[in-house]
Amino acid sequence: LVLQKDDQRFDATQVSDGVLCFIALAMHAIDLEPGALLFIEEPELAIHPTRIHEVVDLLRQIAAERKAQIVLATHSCVLLNEFKDQPECIRVFRRSPQGSQVRPLMDLPELEDALHRQTPGEMLEQGFFELAFDQLGESVARPEARGG
């Protein structure tokens, strides 16, 4: 049962997938124990891009209150841009024959200069992470945002 602010009630079968996903993400976060670690794969799926900010704000608030870490794996430029003022929270992953490679975004060459010209989402769209990773002699699959 979903209860709106105006006291209207809806059965879960009557609301959108986005509302159900938002509720599920919120419940997982609200249920976090202090000091816990929560991994969320592509939290932006089924959630309207204009609501991503609300999801991230909720997750940041809960992570701070509970002194927990929440790790988000994403391919979403919209979600990644929520961390444009916190590039130190972003990690770049790449799978290779030697195993997964993980780099803090801040370790990538020319990052600081690039962040003055583009958002992290634009950098993802334009292949900046792959090129920068290659300059380090590695090979990126997806960025990850970590809050908390």
Side-chain angles (χ1 to χ4, degrees):
L1 187 64
V2 177
L3 178 64
Q4 288 189 165
K5 289 180 185 179
D6 63 3
D7 290 329
Q8 281 191 324
R9 297 169 189 266
F10 296 93
D11 183 76
T13 61
Q14 297 173 312
V15 297
S16 72
D17 288 346
V19 169
L20 294 175
C21 286
F22 188 96
I23 292 169
L25 287 171
M27 295 310 297
H28 278 295
I30 289 168
D31 198 37
L32 269 181
E33 296 289 328
L37 175 62
L38 175 64
F39 290 93
I40 303 174
E41 176 80 15
E42 298 180 336
E44 70 278 2
L45 294 181
I47 295 180
H48 195 281
T50 60
R51 298 289 186 214
I52 296 295
H53 181 74
E54 294 172 27
V55 171
V56 172
D57 279 352
L58 175 67
L59 296 175
R60 281 183 173 137
Q61 176 187 346
I62 291 171
E65 288 172 1
R66 309 267 166 77
K67 296 186 182 353
Q69 281 196 331
I70 300 175
V71 179
L72 309 175
T74 187
H75 292 102
S76 167
C77 297
V78 174
L79 180 60
L80 194 56
N81 283 340
E82 288 296 318
F83 295 88
K84 68 179 180 271
D85 295 327
Q86 295 176 296
E88 69 279 1
C89 291
I90 301 172
R91 303 288 182 271
V92 182
F93 283 66
R94 177 175 246 183
R95 191 173 301 146
S96 74
Q98 296 78 30
S100 294
Q101 305 285 323
V102 182
R103 291 271 190 213
L105 185 64
M106 299 301 290
D107 284 359
L108 298 180
E110 305 171 14
L111 173 73
E112 195 167 333
D113 185 45
L115 282 172
H116 291 293
R117 295 187 314 269
Q118 301 175 285
T119 65
E122 291 168 331
M123 294 164 71
L124 174 65
E125 283 180 331
Q126 296 172 8
F128 175 87
F129 302 132
E130 289 89 350
L131 292 173
F133 223 102
D134 287 343
Q135 288 177 0
L136 291 171
E138 328 272 5
S139 224
V140 145
R142 69 173 58 184
E144 170 190 280
R146 289 180 36 175

